[in-house]
Amino acid sequence: WKNFENRRYVVLIDMGLHSSKRRFILLDLKTGTAEKYLTSHGKGSDPDGNGYVNSFSNAEGSNQTSLGFYKTDEVYVGKHGRSMRLQGLSSTNSNAYARAIVVHGAAYVSEVSNSAGRSLGCPALDNRVVQA
């Protein structure tokens, strides 16, 4: 815990839920509130595009979601706009930083139309959520 600068927010993502469900849960430990958002999963984890994750991988080029605990790193502006790097803390996601698995906004995730497309392994959010 002492190695975490951010001690206010925790995110839980339930990848067992369909991608049309708000499975990205932002917990505010100070206020005790929870906000839920749609989030993508890797297209390699859902090759038939039915919205359910079938498999996970930590391998470069797999385009799959990786399970495990993450620590947030720096916020930067890249090709997807405002983004946040993630460091994998588990053996199942230890390559996250090298794979450029980040939280970012994406046009294929829409809170309005209740849909989340597939990413290259990142937990992408609606652009309006990330840029807020």
Side-chain angles (χ1 to χ4, degrees):
W1 186 249
K2 66 181 179 179
N3 294 327
F4 288 79
E5 290 179 37
N6 167 20
R7 295 188 184 118
R8 180 171 179 178
Y9 297 101
V10 173
V11 170
L12 302 172
I13 302 175
D14 185 349
M15 287 297 177
L17 295 176
H18 190 270
S19 61
S20 66
K21 303 296 181 190
R22 285 171 173 74
R23 57 190 180 172
F24 185 106
I25 305 162
L26 175 66
L27 302 170
D28 185 328
L29 301 178
K30 182 176 179 182
T31 65
T33 59
E35 296 178 37
K36 296 181 179 183
Y37 302 101
L38 294 171
T39 190
S40 65
H41 55 256
K43 66 181 183 177
S45 291
D46 177 14
D48 57 5
N50 69 359
Y52 287 101
V53 173
N54 298 317
S55 60
F56 299 93
S57 176
N58 192 27
E60 183 74 36
S62 68
N63 295 330
Q64 292 189 24
T65 296
S66 296
L67 288 178
F69 296 100
Y70 293 85
K71 179 180 177 186
T72 59
D73 207 334
E74 74 267 12
V75 174
Y76 68 99
V77 177
K79 68 179 181 178
H80 296 290
R82 187 171 176 227
S83 304
M84 184 184 308
R85 295 188 198 283
L86 298 174
Q87 291 183 19
L89 301 176
S90 305
S91 61
T92 53
N93 65 6
S94 58
N95 293 326
Y97 199 90
R99 291 178 61 202
I101 302 300
V102 303
V103 178
H104 64 81
Y108 53 81
V109 180
S110 172
E111 292 288 331
V112 174
S113 66
N114 207 40
S115 64
R118 298 174 297 158
S119 66
L120 299 181
C122 298
L125 301 167
D126 184 308
N127 278 316
R128 290 171 288 232
V129 172
V130 173
Q131 304 308 325

